[in-house]
């Protein structure tokens, strides 16, 4: 750490450093400006977008509706931006984020192509010292790491990954300066999470042969992609602040449009089937019932989706392999696509079920399973991320006790309200562990967390308190509360998923998402401010 600091040539100061320029980063820069704080922004990519910059694979699209997955803090942004699709493509979302960054005048504050490598806090001066790949050290009072939950790609844990002689692509690092052409090629896709499910139908359109290597099947339901409803747009534009407030009052931070009106427990079998079919047709099957959160209701939803999936695939063996029999709906992040399952009805698309014939190694000419070598020209890794804690561990973040955050979290994440960590004062972590994060609408969450973070900073400035960190007791209480709600979520503690780090060999198995709901989360945050931060320690310099 020290040597990195000494090696740097330039030093400058500002109040706030914001790292990352996705939904949270752009809004954080705007908030800092609005509150009269001096700021610097750093972004390792060449443009804004965060997740939506990097994941430019064919078919990349948000499966949360665009009217939901957007900022609501500024009326003119809501009024002046028109989505072309009810579920926007990656390209459109990145364009939207650029539009917002320009509108908010924050582009000039961001150093692009600049990675933050390390950050060290000193209690002597109460400052963060941030080192970048441009060999610059910047000193600030508040550090906001808006680096996303899904920004650190998982390194493929397969023998021989470097042996392949053909072309290799990662969905999480899709090339920006190359049009990838699969025409006439034999392509292998490894991974069938949300990215694989979106990319596979697109790749199948031009590939000569497509082999999909599936380790675990996922639930796949229809998406709402299609034209925007003009009445809905008009309704949202009428009062964006009310829309934003209403979303914060819900469980998931979504504009509450579609949800079953009937309760699972009050219906007979025929009524349940009717409600499920109605929700399937309306593309809101996870919310088919008012009480869809119940384990019994979840079991009915899981069974119904499995039945619908089986109906769409012609070959019986393939259909059975594609259906997730091992976990309940929502145990892993469910996928949405109107084309994925039907893709397996094409004669040149083949499923390789790794539960039957596991990959033994990648070889120069293709992928060797326990059965045979499948010859390939291209391999696409849709193998996911070291989620939530991975992006933080990629930076050497050193706290007041001399420990790196990766050491402090060696047994799993520990924080309070998902945003601050004991021994890391004035470090703010939007979309990190133990917040509603990936189980909520990330756009609503970005606004809520950045508001909370800057309202906290305002409070510190107005009360002459230079440093804040959560107390160990609050962190323990928050860990217990997170676990308490995880136990109530079907499949949360029993399914192997990236929500709990199970996709990364050796990562501690801790369910990393707060499932108490957005409303409760928001209220708990603002109760802290209202009561003068009883769950925190206010330190002196
Ligand atoms: O990653 P994943 P993703 N051998 O981790 C498999 C968001 N997102 O990029 O399940 C063989 O879900 C792995 O298998 P298994 C969304 O939150 C949103 O697809 O671990 N297979 C799995 O099938 C999503 O959840 C949108 O057994 C291996 C796949 O690779 C999150 O991003 C769109 C393997 C990884 O799936 C991550 O999605 C896209 C190995 N060694 C993504 N290692 C929206 O629409 C891994 N796998 C908003």
């Amino acid at each position: 750490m020290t040597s990195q600091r000494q090696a740097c040539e330039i030093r400058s100061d500002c109040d706030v450093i914001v790292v990352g320029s996705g939904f949270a980063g752009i809004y954080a820069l705007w908030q800092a400006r609005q509150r009269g704080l001096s700021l610097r922004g750093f972004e390792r990519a060449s443009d804004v977008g965060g997740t939506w910059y990097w994941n430019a694979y064919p078919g990349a699209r948000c499966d949360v509706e665009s009217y939901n997955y957007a900022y609501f803090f500024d009326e003119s942004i809501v009024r002046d931006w028109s989505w072309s699709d009810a579920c926007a493509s990656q390209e459109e979302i990145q364009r939207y984020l650029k539009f917002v960054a320009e509108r908010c005048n924050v582009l000039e504050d961001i150093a692009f192509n600049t990675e933050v490598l390390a950050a060290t806090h000193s209690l002597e001066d109460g400052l963060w010292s941030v080192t970048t790949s441009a060999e610059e050290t910047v000193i600030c009072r508040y550090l906001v790491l808006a680096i996303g939950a899904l920004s650190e790609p998982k390194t493929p844990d397969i023998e021989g990954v470097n042996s392949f002689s053909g072309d290799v692509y990662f969905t999480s690092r899709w090339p920006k300066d190359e049009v990838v052409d699969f025409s006439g090629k034999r392509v292998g896709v490894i991974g069938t999470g949300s990215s694989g499910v979106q990319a596979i139908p697109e790749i199948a359109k031009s590939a000569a042969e497509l082999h999909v290597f599936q380790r675990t099947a996922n639930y796949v339901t229809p998406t709402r992609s299609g034209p925007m409803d003009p009445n809905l747009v008009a309704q949202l534009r009428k009062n964006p602040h009310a829309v934003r407030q209403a979303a914060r009052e819900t469980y998931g931070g979504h504009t509450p449009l579609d949800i079953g009106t009937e309760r699972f427990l009050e219906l007979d079998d025929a009524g349940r089937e009717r409600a499920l079919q109605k929700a399937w047709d309306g593309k809101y099957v996870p919310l088919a019932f008012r009480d869809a959160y119940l384990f019994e209701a979840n079991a009915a939803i899981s069974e119904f989706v499995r039945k619908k999936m089986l109906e769409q695939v012609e070959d019986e063996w393939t259909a059975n392999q594609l259906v997730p029999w091992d976990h309940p709906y929502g145990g892993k992040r469910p996928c949405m696509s109107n084309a994925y399952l039907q893709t397996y009805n094409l004669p040149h698309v083949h499923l390789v079920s790794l539960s039957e014939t596991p990959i033994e190694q990648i070889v120069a000419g293709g992928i060797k399973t326990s059965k045979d070598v499948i010859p390939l020209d291209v391999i696409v890794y849709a193998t996911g991320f070291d989620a939530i804690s991975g992006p933080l561990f990629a930076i050497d973040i050193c706290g007041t006790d001399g420990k790196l955050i990766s050491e402090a979290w060696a047994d799993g994440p520990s924080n309070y309200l998902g945003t601050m960590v004991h021994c890391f004062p004035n470090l703010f972590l939007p979309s990190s562990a133990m917040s509603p994060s990936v189980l909520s609408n990330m756009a609503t969450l970005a606004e809520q967390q950045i508001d909370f973070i800057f309202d906290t900073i305002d409070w510190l400035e107005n009360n002459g308190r230079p440093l804040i960190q959560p107390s160990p007791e609050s962190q323990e209480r928050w860990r217990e509360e997170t676990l308490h709600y995880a136990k109530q979520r079907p499949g949360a503690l029993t399914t192997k998923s990236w929500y709990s780090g199970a996709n990364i060999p050796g990562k501690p198995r801790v369910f990393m998402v707060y499932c108490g709901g957005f409303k409760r989360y928001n209220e708990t945050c603002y109760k802290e401010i209202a009561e003068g931060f009883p769950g925190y320690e206010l330190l002196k310099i």
Side-chain angles (χ1 to χ4, degrees):
M1 255 344 103
T2 320
S3 59
Q4 253 163 347
R5 277 176 80 164
Q6 283 164 351
C8 297
E9 288 154 13
I10 316 160
R11 297 176 78 89
S12 57
D13 292 293
C14 59
D15 294 321
V16 188
I17 287 179
V18 176
V19 186
S21 66
F23 269 94
I26 291 171
Y27 185 52
L29 289 164
W30 182 82
Q31 276 287 358
R33 273 270 188 92
Q34 292 296 108
R35 296 177 196 237
L37 298 162
S38 58
L39 60 142
R40 294 283 306 270
F42 294 104
E43 168 57 65
R44 65 177 161 181
S46 62
D47 206 345
V48 297
T51 289
W52 296 104
Y53 171 95
W54 295 105
N55 289 266
Y57 58 84
R61 181 174 289 285
C62 186
D63 54 22
V64 176
E65 302 85 350
S66 37
Y67 56 81
N68 242 324
Y69 195 76
Y71 294 111
F72 281 95
F73 67 93
D74 182 284
E75 285 196 15
S76 73
I77 290 174
V78 178
R79 197 184 52 234
D80 296 345
W81 180 266
S82 298
W83 295 105
S84 69
D85 195 298
C87 287
S89 68
Q90 170 273 331
E91 183 279 326
E92 188 168 16
I93 299 173
Q94 202 200 335
R95 206 158 24 85
Y96 168 73
L97 290 170
K98 184 78 174 261
F99 161 80
V100 175
E102 280 168 357
R103 192 53 87 82
C104 292
N105 260 324
V106 297
L107 284 177
E108 66 200 48
D109 300 318
I110 307 171
F112 289 102
N113 300 307
T114 308
E115 191 160 359
V116 165
L117 304 174
T120 304
H121 194 270
S122 156
L123 273 181
E124 269 171 42
D125 50 14
L127 296 171
W128 279 100
S129 170
V130 175
T131 308
T132 76
S133 56
E135 299 203 337
E136 186 182 14
T137 294
V138 187
I139 309 293
C140 65
R141 293 193 291 140
Y142 306 108
L143 177 57
V144 181
L145 295 183
I147 52 180
L150 295 164
S151 52
E152 198 57 34
K154 173 187 163 173
T155 312
D157 45 355
I158 303 173
E159 201 187 316
V161 275
N162 296 323
S163 318
F164 186 59
S165 59
D167 294 330
V168 170
Y169 298 97
F170 287 81
T171 50
S172 53
R173 287 289 179 271
W174 205 258
K176 300 295 249 190
D177 49 2
E178 176 191 345
V179 178
V180 180
D181 183 6
F182 296 107
S183 313
K185 306 251 173 78
R186 298 164 302 175
V187 182
V189 177
I190 305 178
T192 52
S194 300
S195 304
V197 161
Q198 289 183 333
I200 285 160
E202 292 302 313
I203 295 172
K205 283 180 184 166
S206 54
E209 292 291 324
L210 174 59
H211 292 269
V212 178
F213 297 82
Q214 173 192 271
R215 192 162 67 179
T216 314
N218 268 324
Y219 288 90
V220 182
T221 61
T223 97
R224 290 194 162 174
S225 180
M228 283 291 296
D229 170 359
N231 294 327
L232 178 61
V233 174
Q235 193 187 321
L236 295 175
R237 283 181 177 162
K238 229 188 263 169
N239 188 349
H241 294 290
V243 174
R244 181 188 204 220
Q245 207 43 47
R248 287 185 186 187
E249 295 291 310
T250 65
Y251 179 84
H254 295 268
T255 309
L257 291 175
D258 290 315
I259 180 164
T261 49
E262 296 172 287
R263 291 189 174 273
F264 176 83
L265 289 182
E266 291 168 3
L267 294 168
D268 60 15
D269 285 350
R272 289 170 181 170
E273 187 69 13
R274 215 174 33 248
L276 283 162
Q277 184 63 48
K278 187 174 167 213
W280 178 269
D281 295 339
K283 298 176 181 167
Y284 61 94
V285 72
L287 298 174
F289 311 106
R290 283 244 143 235
D291 49 3
Y293 52 84
L294 295 173
F295 277 66
E296 308 95 293
N298 176 273
I301 291 168
S302 306
E303 200 183 313
F304 183 83
V305 176
R306 289 188 195 119
K307 183 181 78 180
K308 289 288 185 191
M309 288 178 68
L310 285 171
E311 286 169 9
Q312 295 172 67
V313 183
E314 287 162 8
D315 177 70
E316 197 181 330
W317 177 86
T318 308
N320 269 295
Q321 295 296 325
L322 287 169
V323 169
W325 304 103
D326 65 326
H327 66 275
Y329 184 89
K332 288 165 95 82
R333 165 68 150 78
C335 306
M336 298 176 92
S337 170
N338 296 332
Y340 175 69
L341 294 164
Q342 293 85 339
T343 299
Y344 292 91
N345 297 332
L346 299 170
H348 67 295
V349 177
H350 318 283
L351 182 70
V352 182
S353 175
L354 302 183
S355 57
E356 291 196 354
T357 52
I359 295 178
E360 288 187 346
Q361 67 181 109
I362 311 277
V363 293
I367 296 181
K368 182 174 186 295
T369 69
S370 60
K371 186 172 159 218
D372 51 14
V373 174
I374 297 171
L376 297 168
D377 304 306
V378 182
I379 296 179
V380 175
Y381 289 94
T383 41
F385 301 87
D386 184 354
I388 302 180
S389 54
L392 279 182
F393 293 2
I395 303 174
D396 283 339
I397 305 166
C398 189
T400 52
D401 59 357
K403 277 193 188 155
L404 294 174
I405 199 154
S406 50
E407 292 166 339
W409 286 11
D411 297 328
S414 174
N415 66 28
Y416 183 42
L417 295 174
T419 47
M420 292 200 82
V421 185
H422 184 69
C423 285
F424 295 82
N426 291 12
L427 171 69
F428 299 96
L429 307 174
S431 54
S432 188
M434 291 144 89
S435 76
S437 72
V438 290
L439 290 178
S440 71
N441 176 352
M442 294 294 276
T444 314
L445 183 75
E447 283 194 8
Q448 187 277 345
Q449 289 193 314
I450 297 301
D451 284 348
F452 174 55
I453 288 166
F454 281 90
D455 288 343
T456 301
I457 292 175
D458 262 359
W459 188 94
L460 296 172
E461 300 276 308
N462 293 335
N463 289 277
R465 310 306 295 253
L467 293 172
I468 189 167
Q469 68 177 12
S471 67
E473 296 76 26
S474 302
Q475 293 198 158
E476 179 53 21
R477 214 175 50 243
W478 192 244
R479 191 194 64 75
E480 282 168 11
E481 183 165 335
T482 302
L483 184 60
H484 166 80
Y485 284 112
K487 283 181 185 161
Q488 296 178 16
R489 184 181 163 86
L493 301 182
T494 52
T495 308
K496 278 176 78 178
S497 81
W498 61 257
Y499 293 154
S500 53
N503 64 328
I504 303 293
K507 191 165 172 171
R509 289 283 288 272
V510 176
F511 194 79
M512 294 186 283
V513 192
Y514 179 73
C515 311
F518 205 97
K519 179 173 162 38
R520 185 181 168 83
Y521 175 74
N522 185 40
E523 285 169 359
T524 313
C525 292
Y526 277 91
K527 191 162 178 279
E528 280 289 343
I529 297 188
E531 295 178 0
F533 293 96
Y536 293 75
E537 295 169 354
L538 296 159
L539 309 176
K540 295 197 173 108
I541 297 172

